[in-house]
Amino acid sequence: MKKTLLVIVVTTIIVACGSQKTAPSNSSKKIKKSVYQKKADLFQNVKYLIGREQYNSAILNIDRIEELELRDNDYEPYRYKAMILQVTGKKEEANQVYETIINALNASAGEKKKSRQLMAINNNPPIAMSHKTATKKDSISSKEAFKVIEMPPVYPGCENLPRESQTKCMSQKVAKHIVKTIDVNIAQVTDHTGFIRSYVNYEIDTTGTISKIRTSGKNKFLNLEAHRVMAQLPKVIPGMQLGKKVAVPYTIPIRFATN
């Protein structure tokens, strides 16, 4: 983490030198480093608090980061703030933060993309699911679903394999999608808690689109990230039963950990 901060500081100094044509003093460097270190410490504390679902305290720390006025084009803390607002039911406030990130000229393409994805989830009505239904769905694994369906869904790139290999291929492709899409920095909220697992229940509908996504787990913030990741699953070939396309349920656990 210290090396990353050093790079940021050096980059900032170089830009300043280019505009002012003067080298910053040693005291200026120390002040810059001190401010960036303060931001790093605050953000680390934010992740610690999120891991324990102390969301109000986490937002206070993010507001303190904003007060530093670093203008370093880093919108990650503000996306975390929007996610906290979203999982605590403050949807309109969350959307305001997402819109700020999306419309910011200096926000990265990655932050804008994630904010759009999270905002789309925020704007969709939640799927009602009784405890009884949730328990039943949680007990359905992909393998069990395959036992009662003639032709399970097929992931793009797996369609030319023998049917007995398509199931394994799809599982591998979904796993790769999760690894590629997940925000690895978010796993740092588990630094002091140990791993935290989120369960994602969803269906591949008759068009091959992932739908009816529901998440469960002890940390709402991580559940939201799990939802975002699975919502980006590409369209697949839908399952077939008795010659007709059918929806197929799945349950996937996603483990958040730093090791």
Side-chain angles (χ1 to χ4, degrees):
M1 184 176 289
K2 291 183 179 179
K3 291 183 179 178
T4 303
L5 293 173
L6 181 59
V7 172
I8 293 173
V9 173
V10 171
T11 303
T12 304
I13 291 171
I14 290 173
V15 172
C17 289
S19 60
Q20 299 179 4
K21 297 183 180 180
T22 56
S25 65
N26 288 333
S27 60
S28 176
K29 289 181 180 180
K30 288 180 181 178
I31 291 172
K32 283 280 188 180
K33 185 175 182 179
S34 175
V35 173
Y36 278 103
Q37 186 59 54
K38 185 175 182 179
K39 174 190 174 181
D41 292 342
L42 284 169
F43 197 29
Q44 191 61 36
N45 196 41
V46 167
K47 294 173 183 177
Y48 172 88
L49 293 166
I50 290 173
R52 284 160 174 72
E53 293 200 292
Q54 297 177 19
Y55 295 134
N56 290 335
S57 297
I59 285 181
L60 288 175
N61 277 265
I62 294 172
D63 289 341
R64 289 177 64 191
I65 291 174
E66 189 171 6
E67 290 170 2
L68 296 175
E69 297 184 345
L70 290 178
R71 304 185 187 282
D72 57 356
N73 304 339
D74 180 15
Y75 283 82
E76 186 177 22
Y78 311 121
R79 173 166 52 86
Y80 279 38
K81 180 178 181 177
M83 292 175 69
I84 291 171
L85 292 169
Q86 184 170 344
V87 301
T88 54
K90 300 174 182 177
K91 292 191 172 187
E92 291 185 7
E93 293 178 49
N95 277 346
Q96 289 175 1
V97 180
Y98 288 137
E99 287 174 354
T100 298
I101 297 171
I102 293 167
N103 295 326
L105 296 176
N106 55 349
S108 70
E111 283 299 329
K112 289 174 180 281
K113 182 178 180 180
K114 289 170 187 170
S115 294
R116 288 191 187 96
Q117 293 167 350
L118 289 161
M119 192 172 178
I121 296 170
N122 194 36
N123 291 334
N124 284 332
I127 297 173
M129 182 173 66
S130 68
H131 178 71
K132 183 176 181 181
T133 303
T135 303
K136 181 179 180 182
K137 287 289 185 184
D138 287 345
S139 67
I140 299 176
S141 68
S142 58
K143 289 183 178 179
E144 288 171 335
F146 291 154
K147 289 178 182 177
V148 296
I149 187 169
E150 293 175 356
M151 294 182 63
V154 180
Y155 203 94
C158 302
E159 57 268 32
N160 294 326
L161 295 174
R163 186 175 299 180
E164 60 271 16
S165 301
Q166 290 177 349
T167 300
K168 182 178 180 180
C169 180
M170 179 154 178
S171 296
Q172 291 173 339
K173 293 282 189 180
V174 170
K176 287 181 180 179
H177 164 81
I178 293 171
V179 171
K180 180 181 178 181
T181 311
I182 205 161
D183 182 354
V184 293
N185 291 336
I186 278 184
Q188 292 176 8
V189 307
T190 68
D191 272 351
H192 302 282
T193 63
F195 76 86
I196 298 176
R197 185 178 282 116
S198 293
Y199 294 90
V200 185
N201 300 286
Y202 63 96
E203 285 186 358
I204 300 297
D205 67 20
T206 56
T207 68
T209 304
I210 188 168
S211 63
K212 298 184 180 179
I213 301 173
R214 304 175 298 274
T215 58
S216 59
K218 68 178 184 179
N219 190 290
K220 294 178 181 178
F221 184 90
L222 295 179
N223 291 345
L224 176 56
E225 174 62 7
H227 188 144
R228 182 191 72 82
V229 169
M230 292 308 298
Q232 310 316 309
L233 200 70
K235 203 167 186 178
V236 304
I237 300 172
M240 300 286 290
Q241 184 79 0
L242 300 176
K244 295 182 179 180
K245 296 176 181 179
V246 292
V248 181
Y250 290 85
T251 295
I252 290 204
I254 296 179
R255 173 173 166 156
F256 293 89
T258 54
N259 52 24

